[in-house]
Amino acid sequence: MTTVPTGRAAGDPAALAAAATDAVLADLGSGAHRGVVVDSPPGAGKSTLVVRAAGELAQAGERLMIVAQTNNQVDDLLVRLVQDHPALTVGRLSATGYRLPPALVGTSVLNAEKAEALDACAVVVATAAKWALVQDRRWPWAIVDEAYQMRSDALLLVARLFDRALFVGDPGQLDPFATVDTSRWHSLSYDPSQSAVVVLRRHNPDLPVHRLPVSWRLPASAAPLVSEAFYPFTPFRSGTGPGERLLHFGAAREHDAYDAAVDVAAKSGWGLLELPARFTAAADEEAVHAVATLAARLLARGGTTIGERTPDGVPLDASRIAIGVSHREQRARVESALRDLGAAEIVVDTANRLQGREFDVTVVLHPLSGRRDATEFHLETGRLCVLASRHRHACLVVARAGIPDLLDAHPTADPVHLGVPVSFPDGWEANQAVLAELARHRVALSG
Amino acid sequence: MRTTGTTGAIAGRLEQLRGTLPTRNHNARTVAALAANPGCARRGVLDAAGIEKTVLADRLGFPARYGGRSPFAIGRGNVFEARVKADGGTELRRLLAETLGANPDAGALVDVEHESAGRPSREERVARTRDALARAARGEPDACAILDHPLLPLDVAGRRAYLEPDAMACRVAGRLYVVEIKSFAIIDGSADPGKLASATRQAAVYVHALRRLAAELGLDPDVVATDIVLVCAQDFSNRPVAVVLDVRRELATTRRRLERLSGVEELLGELPDTLTFDVDGDLAGEAVARVPAAYVPDCLSACELALFCRDEARGCGPGGGSVGTLGTSVRGALGGIEDIGDALALADGTRAARPGEEDVARLLRRAQALRTEVLGAEMPGSQAPGIALPRPVGPPAASRAELSGGVG
Amino acid sequence: MSAIAALGRLRAAATGAAQPAATVRHRHLSARPLVLVPYVLAGEAFAPLAVLVGTDRDRPHLLAVPQPRDRDRRFAHAAELGRLLLPYLGAFAAETETIERRGDDPYERSLDAPQVLVPTAGGVEYLRLLGRSTRFRRTDGEFAVAEEVPLLGRWSTWLADRAGVPGSSVLLAMTDLLTQAWVTGQSALEDGDLAALLAWIDPPAGQRGDRAARAVEGGPTAGPATDPAFDERLVPLIAAFDEAVAAERAEAAGAEARTDLGPRGRDAEQAIRDALAAELMPTWDRVWRGVELLGALPAGGSVAGRWEADRASYSFFAADLADPESRPQPRVPGAVSAAAQLATRERAQARLDAEQVRDDPLLMAAVRLAGEAFRGGLIAVDAERMVAEPGKKTARPRPMLTFATDDEPLFGPGTDLACVERPDAKARVLEAEPGRVVLELRGGMGGGKAPKPGSVPEVGEVLCWTSLIAEFRRGPDWPAVEDTPWTHGGPPPEPEPEVASDPDDDALEEWS
C-alpha cells in the first residue's frame, strides 16, 4: 500500500484539512488509480469531501453514482449536495413507498424507482441495497460512503456498476457484522463478512490511502483522547482549539450529583457519573434511570452552546442531545424512562445506529457498566469509539464503579485467523485509556 | 520496580508456601496461560510460587485430566520439527526467505543445547544465548543465523524464570524473528483458530523475553521483530509451510499480565503468615482453600487444579453451589447473585430481595412465572417431559460390534 | 442469556435433573437415520482411525485402520466406508415430487432425504475433512483409489456444507440436538461431552443426573479426537501389527497385496479392533438413546418446512452428482460463492429464529421477558375503525384492539407487530401502558373496504404479538463468476482442473 503523508497533527487545522482534501482530489483527477481510499476519523469532514469530490467530478463531465449505507445517509448527502451545488442535476434512486423528506422537497433532486428515469442526472445517489438491483447501467465513477461499515458482499453486488471509485469511511467505528458464524471465510482474501475496504485493499494493495487529519466535530477536549485511544497509529487533531467550544448552563437548582456532573462536563467536555459498584443483569434499572435523568437534567438546565459556527450561542434543545447504549433492550428501557420524565424527544439509540451521527452533547451508558464478565461484544473497540465520539461539546458517561477490575480479570483468548489483519488497538487498552481520562471528571452518585 | 528487600521477602513467603512440593519452570505455555483466568488469586499465588500444579492436584485427590498429549501427536511433532531443521536448517531458510521476502543472513544454525557433548547447565545455556544474540545483533561476521534451543531468562512475579522456547530465533535482514514449528495443518489457507491463538500467545512470550534480553544487552529491543514466523504442515502432507503472524496484540497482553503478576504481594498479604501447601490430604485442601479461586468452566481446559476448584464451587453456599459453575453467560444473567439456591429462592419468591438485588429479583420472578405458565409447575426433582422412556435391553456393547465388524 | 434459560440451568443444578429447554423438537428426525461415530489419529491433519456406522442400532459396522499412517490402508478404509454409506445416501433420490415455482422452472424434490447423526460437533468437522481429503482423488494413474473414494468425498462435503446452514437437519450432532431440547445443571462447555450430557438428561434408574454425569466423566470419549490415555494403550497394539505385517511379508517374500494378512497379522488387527470397539460402543449406544429421547418429543410446527429445504438441496446435489460434467466442490469457494453462501445462511438463520419462537412458547417466553413480545387477552375491539393514512385519500379499515396483559412489552407507539396465532395479521402499537396494550390492525384483512370475515380477532381471544418480524427477502442476483469485479480480485484465472494437477502430496509422503 502507499500511504500518502498528510502531515503531522500540528499546524493550522484548516490548512491541514484543505491540503488533505486537495491531495485526495488530485489522486482522483490523475486517473492513475482505479480506486482511492480515504480514512476519516469521527467528524473529519467526510461529507464535505464527498460533496466536493462530487462537484469536481461533475464539473469534469464525469457521471457519478454515490453509494451510501442507509436511507438517512442518502438523504443527508442529498441535502448537502443541493446546498453546495444547486446547479447540479441530482437523482435519488429509491425503493417503492419512499417519499422525499421535507428538506428535499422543492429542490432539484429527482426521485425515481428505476435507474432509467435518472439517466440524465449527473449524480445519482442510493443505498447499497438499492444499487444492487440496478441492471445494465455503468458509471465511470462512484463514491462509496461509510465504506468501512459496508460489508464486502454488498460491495460485490455493486462494484459491477462503476469503473473507478472513491471509498470514504471511518476505520475506527464498529465493523460490519453477520448473524451467522463466519469463521469459515476468514482466511479468504474476499471474506464476504469483512468490511468492503479491507477486502478492496487486500486485492488492490497499491491503492492510495489518504487520511483526513482534522476532526471538526470533536472539541479540543476530546480529540486527543479519541485519537490516542482509538487511532494510535493515525493521529488527528481537533479543528477548534481549547475554549472555542463553550457550553453554558443556568445555575444548578438541585445541587445533586446530576447537577455536579453537568457542571463538570460543561467545564471539561467530559463527565463520569459513577454509580456504586454492583453486578447487574442486562437491564440495570438504576443505571437506566440515571442515564435518563441526566439527559433530562441537561435539558432542564437550559444550556447554551457556543462554537465557531454559532458565536452567538444556540439553545441546547432536545434535538442536540443524544443517548448512546449498547443493547436494544437498554434503548427501550431508557426511552420508557424518558417518557416518564417528559423528555421523550431526546434520541436514544445503540452504538450501531449512532454511527455517523453528530450531537452537541451525548449521554452514554458505558458498555461494561455492571457487567460480571466482559464479552467480545462489550469490549469491542468500535462500540466505545462510536459512543465517545458523537459530540461537539461534551460527553457524559454513566457507569458503575469497578470496570477496571473487570478488565483486569478478563481472560484473553481471542481466536486467531490466518490472513486477517490485526486491528488496533485492542478493546482492553482503548477502554483503559478512556477510563483513565473519565476518572478525572468523576462525580459519584450514591445508590 | 520493586526493591530487592521486598522481592526477597516475597520470595521467602513463596518458598514457604511451596515447601518441598516440586517446582515447575515457567515455559512460554505457562506464561501464556496466565492470560486464561487472570482474576484467579489461587492460580496467581500457585504460579508465582512456581508449584507444579499436577502434583498438588494429585494430593488434593483431584488428579488433572487436562494436559496429557497423545504419544502419536508427540511423535508426529518431533518428526516434523526434525525435518524442518534438518541439514543445518536448509528447509527453514527456504521458508523464511519465502515468507519474509528476504534471505536469512549468512551464518550457521547454532543449537545452544546440543552444541557440546553432554547437556550444558542452565547458566551455560543462558550465557550462550546471550552471547549468540549479542553477536548476531552486532552483525559479527561469524554470528549464527539460526539460534536453536535458546534459554531465555524472564522475571515472572519477582522470580527469575527460564523459558525454553520450542522455537528459534532467526536473523533475517539484521532483525531477529521468532520462529515456531507446530505440526498442526494449514489446510487451504486456514488452520484451527484455537491452535493458532495458543501458538501466537506463546510466540509473543518469546518475543517479550527476547526483547527484554536485547534491552539488557544494551541493544534496541526493536531488533526483535513483532512479526513471528509460524511453520506448520501443509494440507494433509508432511511438507512444511510458513506464515507470518503479527503478535503485537498478544505482546501487549503478555506485558500486562506479567506486570499484574508482580502484584502477588497484595495476594500474599491476605494470607496467614504460616500458610503452606506442602501438607497432605484434607490439610492440603484446607490450605489451598485459603486462597480464593475464581472458578469458571473454561478453567477445565486451562488449569490442572480445575477439578478441585469445580468441586469446591459446586459444594459451596447453601443451595447447589456457585452460579459460576454453570458458565459466565448464566452468571451474567443473574447480576450479582452468587449462589444457585439463593437465585432460585428469589425466583420462587421464598426469599425477599436484599438491597441492590431488586432488579434481578423482579426479573427472576417474572422469568419463573413465564416458565410456569408454559411448562406448568416445576417440582423439585421433576423430570423433563418425554424422558420417561424405558431403557433399552440389548446384548453387551462390545460383542455386538464384533458380530458385524470385519468388512473387507 | 435470557433469565428464562438461566433459570432452567439453576433448577437443573439444584434438583440434579435436566430441565426442558424447549417444548418441541426444532429439528427433523429421520425415521431411518444413519449414525456415524468416528475416531481419528492424534497429531495428524486427518488420519481416520475407526468408525462405527450403521442404520440399525443392533448392527453397528466397525471399520478400523490398523495402521492409520499407511496411505493405502487409509484409502482402503475410505472405500470401505463409501461402500457402506453411498447406498444409504443415494437411496432417497429416486422418489420425487414436482415442485412448481413462481417465475422459475419447476423442479423435482425427493420425498425424503438422508440424515447422518454424529455424536458431537467434531463429527461434522470429521466429515468436512473426510470430504476434503478424498474428493480430489483420482481413480486412475499412479495413486489410483477405488471409485467410491472421491464419490464419498463429494457426499461428505455436501453434508458438512449443509450442516452449516442454520436449521438444516441432514447432518446433526447429538450434543446439539440434546442441548436444544434440555438444559442441564452443568455448563455449556461440559455439555459438549455426550456422556455427561446424556447422563444428566437420562440417568440410570434411581440416580440423580448430576451424580450420573460425574460418574461417566473421564470415560471413553465421544471423539473424533481420542483420549491420550487410550492412545497409550493403542501404541503397542499398532507396533505389534506393524511387526506382524513385516514378519509375514518377510516370510512370503515379494508379496504385494498388503491387505492380505496372515494369521499373525489378523490377530494383531483383531486386537486393535477390539480395543477400538470397546472405546467406541458406549458412544454408539448413547447416540441411539438420544434418538429415542428426541423421537418422543413432538416436532415443531415449521420443522417439516425446513426439512423441505433439505430435501431440495439433496435433490439438487444428487442431480449434480449424476451429471458427468460435474466436478467436485472446490477447495475454497470463490468470491461470488462465498458471498452467496453467507447470504443463504443469514436468510436461513433469520427464518429459523422467527420460526422457532413461533413454534415454541418457552422460547417465546424469553422474547416476552425481554420486552419484545407480549401475550394477552383481547378485551375490546373496535372493528369499524377506518383511518386515512397521511398522503392517502381513502380511509382503510384499521380495527383497534385492546389487550390486557401481565407482560411488560417495551415497545413504544408506532412499533409494528406480528401475531403468533394469526400469522397473516399485522398490527401497529398505538399505546402501551402497564397492563394494557392498544393495537391497530393493519394487515391480513384482505384488500376490501371492510375486513375479510374472521380476519379481525374477537374479544376473549388470547394472542401473542411480537416485534421480531422475519423479513423473507429474496436472495440478490450475484454477478457471474467471470464478472467478479476488480474490488474482489477480478475473475478467477482459470476454473480449477477437475482433479488437482500437482501430484497427491500426501501420496508421496512417508509417514513415520
Side-chain angles (χ1 to χ4, degrees):
Chain A
M1 82 170 198
T2 51
T3 300
V4 181
T6 45
R8 302 294 304 164
D12 172 36
L16 278 175
T21 308
D22 290 345
V24 174
L25 296 175
D27 260 342
L28 277 183
S30 75
H33 314 283
R34 289 199 87 168
V36 176
V37 177
V38 179
D39 287 2
S40 166
K46 196 160 54 65
S47 310
T48 308
L49 172 70
V50 169
V51 170
R52 229 186 111 186
E56 302 232 342
L57 286 169
Q59 208 151 40
E62 303 272 30
R63 291 177 61 245
L64 170 69
M65 59 180 277
I66 299 182
V67 185
Q69 307 310 314
T70 66
N71 275 310
N72 280 335
Q73 287 166 5
V74 171
D75 290 338
D76 288 350
L77 273 174
L78 286 169
V79 171
R80 297 285 307 268
L81 265 175
V82 294
Q83 249 172 25
D84 291 14
H85 306 290
L88 213 55
T89 52
V90 182
R92 200 232 194 260
L93 197 56
S94 53
T96 322
Y98 168 87
R99 282 197 303 274
L100 284 176
L104 290 171
V105 176
T107 65
S108 59
V109 173
L110 203 59
N111 181 36
E113 285 174 33
K114 297 263 179 233
E116 299 89 286
L118 302 172
D119 279 345
C121 293
V123 181
V124 180
V125 192
T127 60
K130 183 66 189 173
W131 279 120
L133 303 174
V134 172
Q135 297 295 336
D136 306 326
R137 287 282 178 290
R138 202 167 172 95
W139 279 260
W141 276 99
I143 295 178
V144 181
D145 194 13
E146 300 288 2
Y148 282 93
Q149 274 67 60
M150 181 185 200
R151 246 174 35 184
S152 80
D153 56 353
L155 179 62
L156 181 66
L157 285 168
V158 302
R160 65 196 158 81
L161 295 172
F162 55 78
D163 298 324
R164 293 157 194 273
L166 169 67
F167 297 86
V168 187
D170 181 350
Q173 297 199 27
L174 283 161
D175 291 329
F177 66 93
T179 55
V180 295
D181 176 25
T182 55
S183 51
R184 64 184 258 125
W185 299 292
H186 282 343
S187 62
L188 302 177
S189 55
Y190 39 74
D191 176 358
S193 65
Q194 261 289 1
S195 102
V197 182
V198 169
V199 165
L200 170 81
R201 288 185 55 194
R202 278 207 225 165
H203 289 108
N204 302 275
D206 297 330
L207 295 187
V209 179
H210 295 264
R211 277 200 300 274
L212 299 181
V214 178
S215 172
W216 299 102
R217 173 194 308 150
L218 292 174
S221 58
L225 172 63
V226 173
S227 173
E228 186 199 311
F230 301 105
Y231 303 84
F233 301 120
T234 52
F236 63 90
R237 55 161 296 168
S238 61
T240 51
E244 283 185 60
R245 293 263 174 87
L246 298 172
L247 180 58
H248 295 303
F249 285 100
R253 264 173 297 180
E254 311 280 339
H255 299 291
D256 56 5
Y258 295 104
D259 273 340
V262 168
D263 291 333
V264 165
K267 215 178 300 167
S268 69
W270 293 103
L272 170 64
L273 185 65
E274 192 174 75
L275 277 68
R278 181 183 301 156
F279 298 129
T280 65
D284 179 356
E285 282 298 341
E286 231 172 66
V288 161
H289 180 255
V291 166
T293 308
L294 186 57
R297 182 67 59 86
L298 280 167
L299 209 51
R301 288 277 299 269
T304 307
T305 60
I306 297 165
E308 69 287 4
R309 281 187 263 161
T310 52
D312 299 331
V314 178
L316 182 67
D317 61 23
S319 72
R320 294 171 170 268
I321 303 175
I323 297 176
V325 295
S326 302
H327 296 281
R328 287 203 311 262
E329 182 176 350
Q330 290 169 338
R331 179 182 67 200
R333 289 188 186 279
V334 172
E335 277 172 349
S336 161
L338 283 174
R339 285 196 289 271
D340 293 344
L341 291 163
E345 325 84 90
I346 294 175
V347 169
V348 188
D349 227 323
T350 56
N352 293 68
R353 294 167 51 112
L354 286 175
Q355 299 194 94
R357 303 194 64 182
E358 175 174 307
F359 301 88
D360 277 354
V361 182
T362 55
V363 177
V364 170
L365 177 55
H366 196 290
L368 293 170
S369 175
R371 289 204 59 86
R372 182 78 196 252
D373 298 283
T375 68
E376 211 182 314
F377 174 90
H378 298 95
L379 269 176
E380 192 173 351
T381 321
R383 180 158 284 101
L384 189 62
C385 179
V386 169
L387 293 172
S389 63
R390 300 301 98 201
H391 61 284
R392 291 174 54 83
H393 287 266
C395 173
L396 292 103
V397 177
V398 174
R400 289 204 172 267
I403 296 177
D405 298 335
L406 171 73
L407 288 171
D408 265 348
H410 178 64
T412 30
D414 299 338
V416 173
H417 296 277
L418 292 177
V420 178
V422 179
S423 59
F424 287 98
D426 74 0
W428 196 95
E429 300 203 344
N431 264 290
Q432 290 288 20
V434 171
L435 286 170
E437 174 69 27
L438 288 175
R440 287 196 275 279
H441 314 284
R442 174 180 165 276
V443 173
L445 179 69
S446 48
Chain B
M1 269 282 131
R2 261 163 231 294
T3 64
T4 339
T6 322
T7 311
I10 290 176
R13 285 292 303 280
L14 293 173
E15 214 161 288
Q16 177 194 307
L17 285 172
R18 190 170 58 243
T20 63
L21 282 166
T23 60
R24 177 163 70 181
N25 258 347
H26 272 292
N27 55 34
R29 194 171 357 209
T30 61
V31 174
L34 298 176
N37 188 358
C40 182
R42 179 174 297 166
R43 186 185 167 113
V45 169
L46 290 171
D47 280 340
I51 291 172
E52 176 60 80
K53 290 199 291 276
T54 318
V55 174
L56 186 59
D58 285 344
R59 274 205 203 178
L60 291 167
F62 289 88
R65 279 206 300 271
Y66 137 88
R69 267 190 89 197
S70 160
F72 297 118
I74 295 170
R76 167 90 200 276
N78 291 342
V79 168
F80 183 72
E81 188 172 339
R83 190 187 158 131
V84 175
K85 289 180 183 172
D87 303 328
T90 314
E91 182 69 357
L92 184 60
R93 284 172 215 257
R94 184 188 67 77
L95 289 166
L96 287 172
E98 205 175 273
T99 38
L100 295 172
N103 281 320
D105 298 351
L109 183 155
V110 170
D111 186 338
V112 173
E113 190 176 25
H114 301 294
E115 198 182 30
S116 54
R119 199 181 155 87
S121 73
R122 202 150 75 175
E123 286 67 32
E124 260 177 274
R125 285 176 64 196
V126 173
R128 280 187 203 163
T129 304
R130 291 173 67 104
D131 179 55
L133 187 64
R135 285 154 49 109
R138 283 195 299 267
E140 287 182 18
D142 58 342
C144 71
I146 303 175
L147 188 62
D148 199 4
H149 296 119
L151 193 63
L152 303 170
L154 180 69
D155 287 333
V156 180
R159 266 165 38 97
R160 175 133 291 206
Y162 294 92
L163 300 182
E164 295 198 72
D166 51 357
M168 293 167 294
C170 296
R171 192 157 52 91
V172 179
R175 296 194 77 191
L176 284 168
Y177 288 84
V178 167
V179 177
E180 267 206 286
I181 302 173
K182 298 281 176 190
S183 63
F184 63 80
I186 295 180
I187 298 174
D188 299 331
S190 56
D192 182 319
K195 286 179 179 159
L196 278 176
S198 84
T200 312
R201 280 199 298 272
Q202 287 179 37
V205 177
Y206 301 138
V207 172
H208 176 74
L210 267 175
R211 287 169 83 94
R212 278 292 175 86
L213 189 57
E216 271 181 39
L217 294 167
L219 301 167
D220 179 357
D222 279 339
V223 75
V224 183
T226 52
D227 280 344
I228 65 115
V229 178
L230 178 67
V231 180
C232 290
Q234 182 170 23
D235 297 340
F236 301 95
S237 74
N238 242 345
R239 197 174 54 192
V241 60
V243 289
V244 175
L245 292 170
D246 179 344
V247 302
R248 279 179 292 170
R249 282 179 79 134
E250 288 79 6
L251 192 59
T253 312
T254 304
R255 225 179 279 131
R256 283 199 310 260
R257 293 309 175 206
L258 288 173
E259 275 165 22
R260 190 181 178 282
L261 204 61
S262 58
V264 71
E265 197 180 349
E266 288 151 39
L267 299 178
L268 292 177
E270 313 272 312
L271 303 179
D273 286 342
T274 54
L275 187 69
T276 176
F277 301 131
D278 187 15
V279 282
D280 281 324
D282 290 348
L283 290 175
E286 281 169 32
V288 171
R290 299 301 288 266
V291 194
Y295 171 79
V296 287
D298 282 342
C299 295
L300 290 170
S301 53
C303 181
E304 297 85 345
L305 231 52
L307 290 177
F308 172 81
C309 301
R310 183 180 72 173
D311 188 69
E312 181 188 49
R314 280 180 175 171
C316 72
S322 137
V323 296
T325 60
L326 304 179
T328 50
S329 58
V330 174
R331 182 163 84 173
L334 300 171
I337 314 283
E338 279 296 335
D339 180 72
I340 291 171
D342 222 21
L344 284 171
L346 283 179
D348 293 337
T350 53
R351 174 171 89 67
R354 285 183 285 261
E357 288 178 350
E358 295 89 348
D359 288 358
V360 175
R362 242 176 56 80
L363 178 74
L364 288 174
R365 273 199 302 276
R366 282 191 55 217
Q368 183 56 50
L370 285 167
R371 275 190 81 91
T372 309
E373 177 196 315
V374 174
L375 297 170
E378 288 167 289
M379 298 306 289
S382 76
Q383 289 233 317
I387 298 192
L389 287 177
R391 293 192 65 78
V393 194
S399 69
R400 276 185 286 141
E402 281 165 70
L403 285 175
S404 57
V407 185
Chain C
M1 174 180 280
S2 162
I4 302 265
L7 260 183
R9 266 196 203 276
L10 294 174
R11 192 71 67 186
T15 59
Q19 301 293 316
T23 59
V24 294
R25 172 165 45 75
H26 290 286
R27 293 293 179 278
H28 174 79
L29 197 58
S30 166
R32 198 165 72 96
L34 180 132
V35 171
L36 181 90
V37 183
Y39 262 14
V40 295
L41 191 72
E44 306 290 332
F46 184 72
L49 181 58
V51 287
L52 273 182
V53 60
T55 52
D56 182 347
R57 178 178 191 159
D58 294 322
R59 288 197 64 245
H61 296 272
L62 172 67
L63 310 188
V65 193
Q67 175 43 282
R69 284 170 171 159
D70 178 337
R71 177 186 185 273
D72 290 344
R73 288 189 193 283
R74 283 214 308 274
F75 286 110
H77 169 81
E80 203 181 339
L81 185 57
R83 284 193 284 279
L84 279 173
L85 285 184
L86 293 173
Y88 173 78
L89 292 169
F92 302 86
E95 281 186 88
T96 61
E97 57 188 343
T98 304
I99 303 299
E100 304 287 341
R101 285 184 293 183
R102 229 184 316 164
D104 217 333
D105 294 336
Y107 72 99
E108 291 298 308
R109 184 169 69 197
S110 67
L111 297 179
D112 199 1
Q115 179 176 55
V116 176
L117 301 177
V118 290
T120 65
V124 178
E125 178 67 3
Y126 166 91
L127 281 163
R128 188 182 77 80
L129 289 173
L130 176 68
R132 173 60 182 82
S133 67
T134 55
R135 68 180 185 265
F136 300 112
R137 297 296 153 196
R138 277 184 263 195
T139 53
D140 56 8
E142 197 184 349
F143 301 107
V145 297
E147 61 177 0
E148 290 90 353
V149 173
L151 210 51
L152 175 67
R154 292 171 71 177
W155 275 109
S156 305
T157 304
W158 173 73
L159 285 167
D161 274 352
R162 188 73 199 157
V165 177
S168 164
S169 296
V170 294
L171 170 60
L172 292 166
M174 185 49 67
T175 45
D176 290 343
L177 284 169
L178 292 173
T179 49
Q180 274 163 21
W182 290 285
V183 62
T184 68
Q186 61 186 359
S187 67
L189 187 90
E190 289 155 310
D191 283 348
D193 175 359
L194 178 62
L197 173 63
L198 196 69
W200 265 100
I201 297 170
D202 181 40
Q207 234 190 78
R208 276 168 60 116
D210 48 356
R211 302 212 178 97
R214 216 164 310 163
V216 296
E217 271 187 343
T221 160
T226 51
D227 181 354
F230 173 71
D231 287 353
E232 300 276 2
R233 302 206 302 276
L234 206 55
V235 168
L237 298 179
I238 291 181
F241 175 79
D242 287 343
E243 270 171 44
V245 171
E248 281 173 354
R249 196 178 301 165
E251 282 161 26
E256 275 165 35
R258 282 207 269 172
T259 43
D260 186 17
L261 295 170
R264 194 177 152 193
R266 280 198 297 272
D267 283 353
E269 181 180 22
Q270 193 57 45
I272 292 172
R273 292 177 59 85
D274 289 346
L276 285 164
E279 195 79 354
L280 286 163
M281 273 311 286
T283 303
W284 171 265
D285 283 331
R286 287 189 180 108
V287 175
W288 284 105
R289 179 62 182 157
V291 171
E292 271 182 324
L293 296 173
L294 292 159
L297 289 178
S302 45
V303 166
R306 291 196 294 274
W307 181 241
E308 279 177 2
D310 281 328
R311 283 159 44 199
S313 171
Y314 170 75
S315 290
F316 281 122
F317 178 71
D320 181 55
L321 211 54
D323 178 355
E325 293 294 299
S326 84
R327 297 179 313 184
Q329 301 94 329
R331 281 154 208 266
V332 294
V336 174
S337 332
Q341 283 171 358
L342 172 57
T344 302
R345 291 179 183 202
E346 285 195 302
R347 275 201 309 280
Q349 183 71 57
R351 172 181 178 182
L352 179 66
D353 290 346
E355 290 181 346
Q356 285 191 152
V357 294
R358 277 174 176 272
D359 286 352
D360 191 338
L362 189 55
L363 298 187
M364 183 55 91
V367 182
R368 290 161 62 192
L369 187 67
E372 294 184 306
F374 77 93
R375 187 165 178 271
L378 189 51
I379 52 172
V381 178
D382 176 358
E384 310 298 312
R385 185 169 174 268
M386 303 283 282
V387 173
E389 309 268 303
K392 296 274 167 66
K393 289 195 183 87
T394 48
R396 313 278 316 154
R398 291 286 182 262
M400 191 163 83
L401 314 174
T402 306
F403 289 89
T405 180
D406 293 333
D407 290 346
E408 298 170 19
L410 287 166
F411 26 71
T415 311
D416 286 320
L417 303 181
C419 182
V420 172
E421 294 80 2
R422 293 172 162 268
D424 293 335
K426 290 182 181 61
R428 186 171 286 175
V429 179
L430 293 177
E431 266 175 61
E433 56 185 61
R436 205 177 71 105
V437 181
V438 184
L439 307 182
E440 170 187 83
L441 199 60
R442 300 174 58 83
M445 295 174 286
K449 289 220 162 85
K452 184 171 76 178
S455 65
V456 179
E458 286 169 25
V459 169
E461 278 186 50
V462 176
L463 300 176
C464 180
W465 294 87
T466 175
S467 55
L468 297 184
I469 301 173
E471 289 173 51
F472 293 107
R473 256 187 252 148
R474 213 173 68 88
D477 293 324
W478 299 101
V481 172
E482 59 272 22
D483 295 333
T484 306
W486 61 274
T487 53
H488 289 64
E494 272 298 299
E496 247 183 82
E498 182 169 339
V499 172
S501 58
D502 77 273
D504 298 352
D505 289 331
D506 71 336
L508 300 171
E509 295 299 336
E510 270 309 311
W511 295 83
S512 41

